[in-house]
Amino acid sequence: MLIKCAINLINILPEKTRIKVSEKLVEVFLNKYANVNVHGIENLENAKKPTIFICNHLSNSDGLILNKVLKSINPTFVAGVKLSGNSFTKIGLNVVKTTNIVPNSADTEGIKRIINLVKNGESILIFPEGTRSRTGSMIEAKNGIVMIAKVTGAPIIPIGLSGSEKLLPVNMEGNMEKEEFHHAEIIVNIGQQFNLPVKQVSQDRKEYTEYATTYLMKKIAVLLPEEYRGFYR
């Protein structure tokens, strides 16, 4: 109850103060509970920009971890709108630069905002699965990532993330306010930049989109321990 009251108080502070307090709070929690090991950081050095980062999704802590790892690039994270309506996840939104999208819908306005960000030189990070995995392993991705990459022409960098499902486990009842931090070893594995595969003459739009989505997700899968690969094992 005390933590909830403190978080509610933070969210009504003036913007600059709210951001500073939220940044400090996130830093304290990550330093206390997360032992983050990053591999492949050299793959960011000569990467073309803007970049579309794609990553598997295990926990509400994923954005906080990746925001810290990619601090020098400062990408915009694509986040589901429901995160804005929760007092706990709002703390993360105070820290992480985001653009909203309505999951599992034809959110044309949200897609347009993402595309315009990239066309204007902004790197973005997307979780193509669209939601956190409840199994601790990869689930089938949505196809929207292919359209964004195709329209923008931006190169892609895959990231494999493991351990965050232990850091801030998903509440299976859907109540994010009950989620709590635990000590965990986190591995962030950054892959090499690549481009969408070339469409084959024989492929229609649907066939190519499904093929390209799988191609992208397997780029993430190879960066993960086998037990995390799930649908893309």
Side-chain angles (χ1 to χ4, degrees), residues 37-45 157-158 188-192 223:
N37 296 282
V38 183
H39 306 283
I41 197 75
E42 68 277 3
N43 289 324
L44 302 178
E45 294 174 2
I157 289 183
V188 180
N189 203 359
I190 303 169
Q192 294 182 346
L223 299 172

Side-chain angles (χ1 to χ4, degrees), residues 189-223:
N189 203 359
I190 303 169
Q192 294 182 346
Q193 193 173 63
F194 68 97
N195 292 299
L196 273 179
V198 177
K199 181 179 179 181
Q200 302 299 314
V201 176
S202 61
Q203 292 174 320
D204 61 23
R205 180 184 296 177
K206 181 180 179 182
E207 184 181 9
Y208 171 74
T209 299
E210 291 176 353
Y211 162 73
T213 301
T214 300
Y215 181 88
L216 267 61
M217 297 307 289
K218 285 191 173 182
K219 289 284 190 179
I220 296 174
V222 297
L223 299 172

Side-chain angles (χ1 to χ4, degrees), residues 101-117:
I101 195 167
V102 180
N104 303 314
S105 71
D107 185 3
T108 54
E109 290 303 313
I111 295 292
K112 283 180 182 177
R113 282 197 302 271
I114 296 168
I115 289 171
N116 286 335
L117 282 169

Side-chain angles (χ1 to χ4, degrees), residues 55-226:
C55 185
N56 59 309
H57 200 10
L58 299 167
S59 164
N60 274 329
S61 65
D62 294 349
L64 305 178
I65 295 165
L66 295 174
N67 186 62
K68 184 175 182 179
V69 171
L70 300 174
K71 186 175 181 180
S72 63
I73 295 172
N74 192 29
T76 295
F77 286 68
V78 177
V81 291
K82 68 177 182 179
L83 296 179
S84 303
N86 182 282
S87 59
F88 280 74
T89 52
K90 271 186 180 179
I91 297 296
L93 296 181
N94 291 335
V95 176
V96 180
K97 186 170 57 173
T98 61
T99 182
N100 287 342
I101 195 167
V102 180
N104 303 314
S105 71
D107 185 3
T108 54
E109 290 303 313
I111 295 292
K112 283 180 182 177
R113 282 197 302 271
I114 296 168
I115 289 171
N116 286 335
L117 282 169
V118 179
K119 285 187 172 181
N120 288 326
E122 185 85 13
S123 291
I124 60 170
L125 189 143
I126 299 176
F127 299 106
E129 293 157 295
T131 187
R132 296 169 295 166
S133 170
R134 268 59 175 176
T135 65
S137 59
M138 295 177 76
I139 59 177
E140 187 173 8
K142 312 300 182 187
N143 292 328
I145 178 61
V146 173
M147 182 182 70
I148 293 168
K150 187 175 181 181
V151 172
T152 62
I156 303 161
I157 289 183
I159 299 176
L161 178 61
S162 57
S164 62
E165 80 285 359
K166 299 172 185 175
L167 176 66
L168 187 62
V170 175
N171 178 272
M172 295 304 176
E173 298 174 355
N175 188 344
M176 292 186 288
E177 293 189 0
K178 289 185 177 180
E179 295 178 356
E180 297 180 349
F181 280 89
H182 302 269
H183 294 281
E185 297 287 328
I186 311 296
I187 297 177
V188 180
N189 203 359
I190 303 169
Q192 294 182 346
Q193 193 173 63
F194 68 97
N195 292 299
L196 273 179
V198 177
K199 181 179 179 181
Q200 302 299 314
V201 176
S202 61
Q203 292 174 320
D204 61 23
R205 180 184 296 177
K206 181 180 179 182
E207 184 181 9
Y208 171 74
T209 299
E210 291 176 353
Y211 162 73
T213 301
T214 300
Y215 181 88
L216 267 61
M217 297 307 289
K218 285 191 173 182
K219 289 284 190 179
I220 296 174
V222 297
L223 299 172
L224 292 167
E226 188 172 350

